Amino acid sequence: MASKQKILIVDDDTNIAELISLYLTKEFYEVQIVEDGEQALQVFDTFQPNLILLDLMLPGMDGYQVCREIRSRSNTPIIMLSAKGEIFDKVLGLELGADDYMIKPFDSKELVARVKAVLRRFQASRPESAPSAKIVQYPDLIINQTNYSVIYQGNTVEMPPKELELLYFLASSPNQVFTREQLLDHIWGYEYIGDTRTVDVHIKRLREKIKDHPAWRLATVWGIGYKFEVK
């Protein structure tokens, strides 16, 4: 029998944390709750969660710092939870490597759906769930969605799952233009509650890591969206 997937909830609001835990436990996830950032980092190493639900407003080390620290050593999916609904807060969270961002109060069913969606995509990194390799290759660039790795100019480039999936999706259809709405639908896999700037943030992060090449580039199609342009 397969072992349960583990969810780490980091939230100092006990009522909210326990409510989330209740819904996830009903979906047969193994859940652990911690109330501050420093404890989250300690438990992360011992609990080894499959996904983290991370509140931003924590005592001491805030959620942004926790996200930054976890991203420095792991690609474990992170869904940020916050009462802040400003675009700046969403963008900052995504730029730090979060895979999703939910605003409190949120519907419990939507939260469970997002957890499942993020985990479903991240499971592709496990060999048993991806029997056939998903690899695209260009000069100085190898994108492997089977083991979630990117080799650029001979060096491994670390990136969160959503960035890699976006890059792989675009590179798998060279010179095809996709709107931001299409990319949200394909990569996030559900009706994303937010705006299309999510895609812009991920493209910006990809361009910081993967520079234009004489043979290819991540191109903006003004007024429409993006494409992986092969020359």
Side-chain angles (χ1 to χ4, degrees):
M1 185 176 180
S3 59
K4 292 182 179 180
Q5 291 183 297
K6 297 184 287 188
I7 311 293
L8 177 61
I9 301 172
V10 187
D11 198 322
D12 62 332
D13 188 321
T14 304
N15 292 330
I16 290 179
E18 290 182 350
L19 182 62
I20 294 172
S21 176
L22 176 63
Y23 280 105
L24 292 174
T25 301
K26 286 183 178 179
E27 295 293 328
F28 304 104
Y29 293 107
E30 181 180 345
V31 180
Q32 186 161 339
I33 299 172
V34 297
E35 297 182 354
D36 62 69
E38 292 184 0
Q39 187 182 6
L41 295 179
Q42 294 171 2
V43 171
F44 175 78
D45 292 325
T46 56
F47 186 53
Q48 296 185 336
N50 298 97
L51 181 143
I52 302 168
L53 292 172
L54 177 62
D55 184 42
L56 289 183
M57 304 304 291
L58 297 169
M61 180 183 293
D62 65 22
Y64 293 121
Q65 293 174 289
V66 175
C67 181
R68 187 183 294 110
E69 176 61 30
I70 289 175
R71 273 292 162 265
S72 70
R73 49 176 145 154
S74 171
N75 280 336
T76 299
I78 298 172
I79 299 178
M80 284 188 167
L81 309 176
S82 177
K84 294 183 176 182
E86 289 81 2
I87 292 298
F88 171 80
D89 297 299
K90 292 183 184 180
V91 171
L92 179 57
L94 293 169
E95 287 186 336
L96 289 174
D99 298 276
D100 202 352
Y101 188 109
M102 293 195 69
I103 300 171
K104 297 179 179 179
F106 42 74
D107 181 80
S108 57
K109 291 182 180 178
E110 182 188 351
L111 175 64
V112 171
R114 292 199 184 197
V115 166
K116 289 181 177 179
V118 171
L119 284 172
R120 188 164 56 244
R121 280 150 186 80
F122 193 71
Q123 283 172 0
S125 62
R126 298 179 179 179
E128 64 268 25
S129 64
S132 58
K134 293 183 177 181
I135 301 173
V136 290
Q137 187 168 350
Y138 294 94
D140 291 324
L141 180 65
I142 302 173
I143 310 161
N144 188 330
Q145 193 171 292
T146 300
N147 63 13
Y148 273 63
S149 67
V150 174
I151 308 297
Y152 172 59
Q153 295 183 338
N155 298 312
T156 299
V157 179
E158 297 294 334
M159 58 180 63
K162 281 292 180 288
E163 287 180 26
L164 188 146
E165 290 164 14
L166 178 58
L167 179 61
Y168 177 87
F169 181 77
L170 289 168
S172 297
S173 301
N175 296 321
Q176 182 174 342
V177 180
F178 294 95
T179 66
R180 291 169 176 82
E181 290 79 9
Q182 287 175 319
L183 293 172
L184 279 172
D185 181 59
H186 280 285
I187 304 305
W188 276 257
Y190 50 81
E191 187 177 352
Y192 188 71
I193 307 300
D195 62 15
T196 53
R197 192 172 178 186
T198 300
V199 175
D200 298 335
V201 169
H202 282 73
I203 291 290
K204 175 177 176 289
R205 288 175 59 83
L206 284 171
R207 284 173 170 162
E208 291 171 352
K209 299 172 182 179
I210 308 292
K211 305 300 182 182
D212 287 352
H213 189 277
W216 50 263
R217 70 182 181 118
L218 281 171
T220 300
V221 182
W222 297 108
I224 302 177
Y226 298 98
K227 67 177 178 178
F228 189 87
E229 184 177 275
V230 177
K231 302 175 183 178

